[in-house]
Amino acid sequence: MLGAGSWGTALAIHLASVGHGVTLWGRDSGLIEEMRGRRANPTYLPDITFPPMLKPVASLDEALSGARHVIVAIPSHGLRAVLSAAASEIPAGAVLVSATKGIEAGSLQRMSEIIRDETGRRHPVVALSGPSFAAEVARHLPTALVAASTDEAAVRAVQQEFRGPAFRLYGSDDVVGVEIGAALKNIIAIAAGVTESMNLGHNAMSALITRGLAEISRLACAMGGRRESLSGLSGLGDLVLTCTGALSRNRHVGIELGRGRSLDEILSGMRMVAEGVRTTSAALALGEQHSVELPIAAQMAEVLAGRLTPAAAVGNLMLRPQRVEHDGAGY
């Protein structure tokens, strides 16, 4: 397991709990040492005791030695550097599992594309996505995810190895649809937090989620994804959870923006990464590249940059020209 944040730790706890030997690697050697002593992650999941088969390590060599599955749960902005350093140590035949959601700034690549490029395209890559808060996975609460890859055997292997009494996986070959749904839902969740903190009501929240899904679907389909994938766990399922769940980091950012706090102030008080902040500008660049309008993302970009107040952004969305619902146009 590469990445000892909340999500990487939760997946490591789950996999060790169902009988797999798991090495959990993190770049912070001090945190790794503390995890060894406490048998818990004091920064991200302090109340969850590690299973006996989970071993925190600070060495990439040790983390990757003999691994059959390498799960990557690194924040999107650090993914390329870690994979570049790890690539030569990954055993032949290992399946790489991307548990990172986002779009890389500049290259506009999806996470599985970065993993494939940095590892020389020598390994099958599976994207793992769906509605899942780390704390609930670590506590073995029922969770259903999607494992997506163009390699059918790799999908079956991940389904078989990752399954547990409270952990179910569905297979897909629509990597584009799954990854775009996973990345863009974080932007809509920021807007949902704004909607929540401004007390705009359930009508507004329902409309936002619905039109947010339409926005995500337009871009995913333009990039080659399938619309049915966006109505599944990695699309609608993840979107609803992230927009409404109290544990959502991106929703938290939106709530604080709606209260009038600046983005710098909000982020300085957060230990975990809110991927939607970085994804917003990358999503807009992808939209321009594929001639897809992303009105909610565009308004959130203005709010995040401090160029618009949340109230002004909501007003801009409500005043957009009215259209037929399914004509492919915007909000």
Side-chain angles (χ1 to χ4, degrees):
M1 175 69 66
L2 301 181
S6 59
W7 186 219
T9 301
L11 286 173
I13 289 169
H14 160 69
L15 290 167
S17 296
V18 297
H20 298 295
V22 180
T23 52
L24 174 61
W25 175 87
R27 64 170 70 243
D28 184 342
S29 58
L31 175 61
I32 294 298
E33 191 61 35
E34 195 171 356
M35 284 196 289
R36 285 175 180 159
R38 291 186 53 172
R39 298 300 299 166
N41 188 325
T43 301
Y44 298 106
L45 293 169
D47 300 327
I48 309 295
T49 301
F50 289 168
M53 296 182 73
L54 196 164
K55 180 182 179 182
V57 299
S59 162
L60 280 173
D61 294 359
E62 190 175 3
L64 297 169
S65 178
R68 292 184 297 112
H69 293 83
V70 177
I71 302 99
V72 184
I74 305 293
S76 61
H77 62 278
L79 180 65
R80 190 178 293 277
V82 172
L83 262 295
S84 177
S88 63
E89 306 297 333
I90 298 173
V95 175
L96 308 184
V97 181
S98 172
T100 300
K101 300 175 181 180
I103 300 166
E104 187 180 45
S107 74
L108 304 184
Q109 285 189 307
R110 294 174 284 109
M111 299 298 100
S112 68
E113 292 177 308
I114 296 171
I115 293 172
R116 194 178 299 278
D117 284 354
E118 291 300 325
T119 56
R121 300 179 177 269
R122 294 186 296 270
H123 303 270
V125 180
V126 178
L128 190 69
S129 186
S132 48
F133 286 142
E136 294 189 5
V137 170
R139 290 184 172 89
H140 311 298
L141 297 178
T143 300
L145 301 180
V146 175
S149 178
T150 55
D151 188 317
E152 185 178 348
V155 169
R156 288 199 303 269
V158 169
Q159 285 181 293
Q160 177 65 32
E161 298 292 338
F162 283 52
R163 184 173 187 175
F167 200 87
R168 180 177 176 84
L169 296 99
Y170 291 83
S172 173
D173 62 359
D174 183 10
V175 183
V176 173
V178 165
E179 288 195 299
I180 292 299
L184 267 67
K185 56 91 180 177
N186 287 325
I187 305 171
I188 309 304
I190 295 174
V194 169
T195 301
E196 179 79 17
S197 67
M198 292 177 64
N199 296 311
L200 298 180
H202 297 296
N203 293 350
M205 184 65 75
S206 178
L208 174 72
I209 293 172
T210 305
R211 295 311 302 166
L213 180 61
E215 187 164 310
I216 297 168
S217 299
R218 284 197 302 273
L219 180 59
C221 291
M223 294 176 64
R226 297 197 300 271
R227 191 168 297 277
E228 59 265 28
S229 298
L230 279 303
S231 65
L233 289 166
S234 63
L236 179 60
D238 210 357
L239 179 64
V240 170
L241 180 73
T242 312
C243 286
T244 62
L247 296 176
S248 168
R249 289 167 277 178
N250 294 282
R251 176 177 174 270
H252 168 75
V253 169
I255 287 173
E256 296 303 315
L257 287 169
R259 290 172 176 168
R261 298 179 68 199
S262 71
L263 181 61
D264 288 343
E265 184 184 2
I266 297 164
L267 297 182
S268 67
M270 294 179 66
R271 289 179 305 183
M272 294 180 281
V273 175
E275 288 285 3
V277 174
R278 295 178 181 273
T279 302
T280 302
S281 58
L284 289 173
L286 274 178
E288 184 175 356
Q289 186 179 98
H290 293 276
S291 300
V292 175
E293 192 177 16
L294 303 173
I296 300 173
Q299 293 301 312
M300 286 304 100
E302 295 298 301
V303 173
L304 289 167
R307 293 188 291 265
L308 274 183
T309 65
V314 171
N316 289 343
L317 289 171
M318 292 304 294
L319 290 173
R320 285 174 54 80
Q322 299 183 131
R323 297 184 173 96
V324 174
E325 184 178 20
H326 299 295
D327 66 351
Y331 198 101

